[in-house]
Structure formats: structure tokens, C-alpha cells
Amino acid sequence: MRFDTRLVHGGRGVTPGTGDVVPPIHVSTTYERRAQDDPRYFYGRGENPTREQLEECLAELEGARFATVLSSGQAAAATVLAQLRPGQCLVSTDDVYSGTDALFERAARQGVRVRYADLTTPEGIDSALDVPGVALVWVETPTNPLLSVVDIAEVAGRAHERGARLVVDNTFASPVLQRPLDLGADVSLYSTTKSIAGHADVLGGALVYRDEELHASYRSYRTAAGNVPGALDCFLVRRGLHTLSLRVDRQVANAWALVERLRASPVVGRIHYPGLAEHPQHAVAKAQMTGPGSMVSFEYLGGPSARLLDRFALFSCGVSLGGVHSLVECPALMTHRPVPAEVRARRGISDSLIRLSAGIEDSRDLVEDLSRALADGG
């Protein structure tokens, strides 16, 4: 089956006995055991049929053997980090989600050496990995919130030469636009809360991979930690997958319309969008992604960012991304506020940086809303 067909049919069969086209939601937390039986299911913290259907579909989308779904994107990231031992080194892109920063800080307190680096150039990659004990390389691409793009194949090759695994947070792109495993990554990580579920009504996370050893480690940790999603959450994420390609296609088209409007505004400075020819990693994005994504960031030159946020009508001022509703936020005031100001400044996250997440509304209405907001500040 091709990708869009797998979105609909992956991990799903008609239910035996009843013929349900939509699989039922299995809510039981425990399963009957008999002396003569060795049942597949034992306890909901470990096994659940609805959860497994979602995992099978996510694995199929990237040609992987395994997927492990968790209660949130943060839970997925924490599961990866839990595999590291004191003294080992984690190398990460220097522009990452603030929640990832917080998890890295906790890992450092447990003895993991954390090193941030610019991984957008071969020289930066070599310099970052030129330390002993590198066990894991962590990449966001495109990054949050500056939308830098990292060459996954380049990093994967250099990480594997040093015996390190590569994890790619693919939340911004989704498997529609980018498939890290095919580019050499060991693990694709998702906050399924975002594009995959797509409706801002369910939390979830996922790890997609091919390695059986990782599978055993991730499942063992999930069962012990108990950070599993409930059956209804898994059902909602699986339902969201049905329309993932349709939504992403519309969102990318809307993002382009917003970019064109931003380029015409005198109160807009630098625009961060991988689709633009002037983006520093435009060629890499074009090579490894099938589209530039639904996220756009820009520098607002028309006054305090908070005033701009208040002038939008259709764009909701809120965190998160990838849903059917368009969102606007100022990372310095919202998603990345926990990051110290000096660190934000070093990374290039200014107080005037604005981040847009394009939804699926009519692009003309979104452009008009953006135009009104920018005009009031001009």
C-alpha cells in the first residue's frame, strides 16, 4: 500500500464476528487468565489492542518494524533519555523545544553529559561529535522555533561512525513531509498531539524504529514507568491519522500564502521558512522533505510582540502546533519562556520573534487576519 492508503488501512482489519469497519475501543485494564491459557494480554499498563493498532499503523508509515506510543511527546523523549547511563554524552541541536531542554537538564543532573551544537554544517557536526562517549545524537529538524534544517543523512553517517544512535524529533514535519528512518536515523520521535492527531483534543507521543533491542528497552521502560496512553487517546490519534496528508497539504499551502503576505509587510524583518530560497538550509530541506511545512517564524518590527498577538482574530494566541486551527505565539513569552534570557539570545530567539502554525482554514481569511494585525502596528 502507498502512504496515503496506509494512513487509512494501516494497523486496521475488519473486526472478526461483528464486521466493524471502525475497530472498537478496548477499555479493559485487565484480562482474564486461566491455568491452561497463556494469553497475549495481561494488564493494560503493558498491553492493549487499541494501542497496538495505532502502533502498527505508525510503524507501517515509515517502513519500520516497531512503534511505541506514549502518553505525550515529553513521555516519548523521556523514554529515549532513560536509556542513557551516567558518563555518556548526548549531543543535541542548539535550537530545541524548551520542554526538551528541561529533560536534558534532568539528564545532566543524573550524570549524562549534554552538549549543544550547531549541526547544520559538516564542520559543526564533526566538532560536536569530537568528544569521547557520545552515545546519542538528538536532532530537531525543522527546529523549534527558528526552523533551521539539519541534514539527517549527514548526521546519521557521522554519528554511526562513532557508535552513537540518532534520534530525530520529526514533530514539525510529520511523516508526510519527512521520513527520518529512510535517511539513516535510528528513531523518529513525535508529539502525536500535534500534526498526527491534528485536532488539539488529545495528548500523545510516539517512537518509531527498527531495532529489536531498542524495542525491548522502550517497552520495558514504558511498562515500569506507566506513561501509557489510554485506549480512547489512542483511538483519537488513530482517527486523526486518516486525514493527515489532506491536512498537511492544506496547511503547507496556507503557510506559503502567509509567507507571501509577510514578505510584503514593512513591519516584518527576517522570515524563517525552509521553502524560501534565501533560507540558509533551503537546499537540504528541498532534498530531504517533500514540502517546507506549516510552521513560519518571523521578526516583528512594529512594536511590542504582545500587542501584535492581541490583534489577531482568527489566529488563536496559544502554544502547540499542527492542528486544524491556526495559532500564533511569541516563543520568548510563551513556549520558550522557561529558557534563560541569555540562552535565548545566544540561540537567536528574540523578544520580537513570532511563530505561526497554519491551520486548514481558507487561506484568504488567514491572510486578511494577518494583514489586519500587521497594519495596526505599521
Side-chain angles (χ1 to χ4, degrees):
M1 293 185 292
R2 294 171 177 82
F3 184 85
D4 287 352
T5 305
R6 293 200 299 271
L7 286 175
V8 177
H9 293 277
R12 182 195 70 85
V14 174
T15 305
T18 60
D20 294 320
V21 173
V22 177
I25 305 171
H26 293 263
V27 297
S28 182
T29 59
T30 192
Y31 307 90
E32 183 181 22
R33 294 181 67 87
R34 297 174 183 240
Q36 69 272 23
D37 291 339
D38 183 19
R40 178 179 177 186
Y41 299 104
F42 180 70
Y43 185 58
R45 182 156 45 84
E47 307 89 20
N48 177 275
T50 306
R51 190 184 305 141
E52 290 174 356
Q53 288 168 353
L54 172 59
E55 290 172 336
E56 288 170 13
C57 182
L58 288 171
E60 286 181 26
L61 292 180
E62 296 197 52
R65 291 183 64 195
F66 308 108
T68 294
V69 295
L70 298 112
S71 55
S72 68
Q74 284 292 90
T79 298
V80 172
L81 295 176
Q83 314 306 313
L84 294 175
R85 300 188 302 273
Q88 290 184 320
C89 182
L90 161 68
V91 174
S92 170
T93 43
D94 54 7
D95 179 24
V96 290
Y97 170 54
S98 64
T100 304
D101 269 319
L103 288 175
F104 288 171
E105 289 176 11
R106 290 179 177 272
R109 291 199 292 270
Q110 299 299 317
V112 175
R113 293 180 293 122
V114 179
R115 186 177 190 185
Y116 293 96
D118 178 3
L119 300 181
T120 61
T121 66
E123 297 77 21
I125 298 167
D126 280 338
S127 176
L129 298 182
D130 191 22
V131 292
V134 176
L136 185 68
V137 181
W138 190 288
V139 164
E140 273 187 21
T141 183
T143 63
N144 183 5
L146 294 174
L147 298 168
S148 297
V149 176
V150 176
D151 187 328
I152 296 172
E154 185 79 19
V155 176
R158 293 169 190 259
H160 293 158
E161 287 173 0
R162 293 162 174 82
R165 287 194 171 108
L166 172 62
V167 173
V168 175
D169 186 337
N170 200 39
T171 298
F172 266 34
S174 88
V176 175
L177 301 179
Q178 184 170 262
R179 304 200 190 133
L181 301 187
D182 289 343
L183 297 167
D186 298 285
V187 181
S188 292
L189 183 149
Y190 297 95
S191 169
T192 58
T193 309
K194 312 304 193 296
S195 296
I196 286 178
H199 293 76
D201 57 8
V202 58
L203 293 173
L207 302 170
V208 183
Y209 48 94
R210 294 168 176 158
D211 186 270
E212 194 163 359
E213 180 183 343
L214 280 180
H215 185 59
S217 296
Y218 290 161
R219 290 302 176 92
S220 175
Y221 180 81
R222 185 182 69 177
T223 301
N227 50 9
V228 295
L232 180 58
D233 291 345
C234 292
F235 171 81
L236 289 172
V237 173
R238 179 65 189 89
R239 185 174 68 171
L241 276 170
H242 292 154
T243 58
L244 178 60
S245 281
L246 298 174
R247 288 185 282 105
V248 169
D249 288 348
R250 180 64 169 266
Q251 289 166 329
V252 172
N254 283 351
W256 267 118
L258 295 170
V259 166
E260 292 304 316
R261 178 62 187 88
L262 290 169
R263 296 179 85 176
S265 174
V267 295
V268 171
R270 183 178 178 185
I271 302 169
H272 304 269
Y273 190 60
L276 293 173
E278 59 266 31
H279 186 285
Q281 294 93 41
H282 172 70
V284 175
K286 193 171 181 180
Q288 72 184 22
M289 300 175 69
T290 58
S294 62
M295 303 300 297
V296 182
S297 295
F298 66 94
E299 299 289 340
Y300 176 61
L301 310 179
S305 297
R307 292 183 185 175
L308 174 68
L309 299 179
D310 288 340
R311 290 196 290 267
F312 285 93
L314 284 179
F315 283 83
S316 297
C317 180
V319 299
S320 200
L321 56 106
V324 294
H325 310 89
S326 292
L327 299 170
V328 60
E329 66 122 356
C330 174
L333 299 177
M334 299 171 69
T335 51
H336 288 67
R337 186 173 183 176
V339 178
E342 63 274 14
V343 177
R344 292 200 304 267
R346 186 168 66 246
R347 294 179 180 176
I349 304 172
S350 70
D351 291 348
S352 62
L353 183 71
I354 303 296
R355 193 189 77 177
L356 303 176
S357 174
I360 65 169
E361 303 94 337
D362 190 299
S363 63
R364 293 167 295 185
D365 291 325
L366 295 179
V367 169
E368 288 173 5
D369 193 39
L370 176 61
S371 298
R372 284 191 298 268
L374 293 174
D376 287 343

